[in-house]
Amino acid sequence: MKDEKKKISFADLILIDLCWILFSLPVVTAGISSIAAIYVLNKKFDGKECSIWNSFTKTFKTTWKQGLVLWFVTLIIAFFAYLVFNYFKNDFAPSTILMLLSILAFIVFTGVIVLSFPMAAHYENNAAFHLRNSLLLSFRFAKKVIVLDVVFAILCVILTVSFLNKKILLVPEILILPLVFFYIQSSVSRKLFATIDKENAEALAKQQAQNEEAQESDDSNE
């Protein structure tokens, strides 16, 4: 009988979001909490029973190194994006080539950001591994990554505009928009990683078969 996966309840989503906000309050820990939030979301997507609080806090403790590095890289990229934006804003005749290169760089580096955190939640490795492989995947799955980039950019613009205009909706936006992005990010990245895991498993099985054939050939020659 086919196992039925448990759907993620609205209460689960709210609790995950509240955990993310609580553990992101020092700001510097936002990257770690993002990994933890995506990890718990993945478990819920897989229909696994788990305590959201316990899973979140455990992941937070075990991935803090990767989270700090990835968050630091994110802030650096955001800072340079801000400098580039100000440059074009103050330049009355920006170079078309420079603009195109900047847009391309934005797409690539944003792709690295939106994939590296889910990768840290899915694979146990260091931050350099996650950044390198996120860069490779951002080229291989360019269409899906661009969709994530666009969603990420739209949500950032909404938050920025609301903050600058000091709208009363800023508070619910802070509560809802990150969760919306995590949900989309987790949904898309899980499919990408499933493809990669399947390919790796097939490659490993093929390699083992070749090794067994080579071993049998050596035994017959003895």
Side-chain angles (χ1 to χ4, degrees):
M1 181 181 294
K2 187 177 179 180
D3 294 334
E4 293 185 0
K5 294 185 177 180
K6 181 182 177 182
K7 294 182 179 180
I8 305 177
S9 68
F10 182 73
D12 288 340
L13 294 175
I14 293 299
L15 183 54
I16 293 172
D17 191 41
L18 291 176
C19 286
W20 179 79
I21 293 173
L22 176 63
F23 282 80
S24 297
L25 287 179
V27 180
V28 70
T29 60
I32 315 172
S33 353
S34 297
I35 296 174
I38 296 170
Y39 176 81
V40 177
L41 266 175
N42 287 341
K43 293 193 73 173
K44 289 296 182 179
F45 270 126
D46 291 334
K48 296 179 180 178
E49 292 290 342
C50 68
S51 165
I52 291 177
W53 174 261
N54 290 339
S55 295
F56 192 101
T57 53
K58 182 179 179 180
T59 307
F60 188 91
K61 293 176 182 177
T62 56
T63 61
W64 67 270
K65 290 183 180 179
Q66 299 95 315
L68 284 177
V69 174
L70 295 179
W71 184 239
F72 181 67
V73 172
T74 299
L75 293 178
I76 291 177
I77 294 175
F79 176 71
F80 277 101
Y82 172 77
L83 293 179
V84 172
F85 174 78
N86 278 342
Y87 171 79
F88 286 123
K89 181 179 179 181
N90 298 322
D91 192 343
F92 295 102
S95 168
T96 303
I97 296 178
L98 184 58
M99 288 185 65
L100 292 176
L101 289 176
S102 299
I103 293 173
L104 178 61
F106 172 81
I107 293 174
V108 172
F109 287 118
T110 305
V112 172
I113 292 173
V114 299
L115 284 182
S116 58
F117 290 98
M119 185 166 286
H122 186 76
Y123 299 104
E124 293 183 7
N125 217 308
N126 56 46
F129 170 89
H130 301 316
L131 290 170
R132 183 189 67 229
N133 285 279
S134 295
L135 179 61
L136 296 175
L137 290 180
S138 66
F139 286 104
R140 179 178 175 183
F141 301 101
K143 291 182 180 179
K144 293 183 178 179
V145 173
I146 289 176
V147 171
L148 286 177
D149 288 350
V150 171
V151 174
F152 179 72
I154 291 174
L155 297 183
C156 287
V157 169
I158 293 174
L159 284 173
T160 302
V161 171
S162 297
F163 177 77
L164 294 177
N165 293 331
K166 298 179 180 180
K167 289 185 177 180
I168 195 171
L169 290 177
L170 180 60
V171 173
E173 285 173 359
I174 292 175
L175 292 174
I176 297 173
L177 294 185
L179 180 60
V180 170
F181 181 70
F182 286 144
Y183 189 93
I184 298 173
Q185 185 183 32
S186 180
S187 301
V188 174
S189 62
R190 287 175 75 256
K191 294 178 182 178
L192 303 186
F193 298 151
T195 300
I196 299 299
D197 292 342
K198 182 179 179 181
E199 291 176 353
N200 290 340
E202 292 175 348
L204 180 60
K206 183 178 180 180
Q207 183 62 44
Q208 290 176 342
Q210 292 175 346
N211 292 340
E212 291 175 359
E213 291 178 0
Q215 183 63 41
E216 291 176 358
S217 177
D218 292 340
D219 293 341
S220 62
N221 292 331
E222 291 181 358

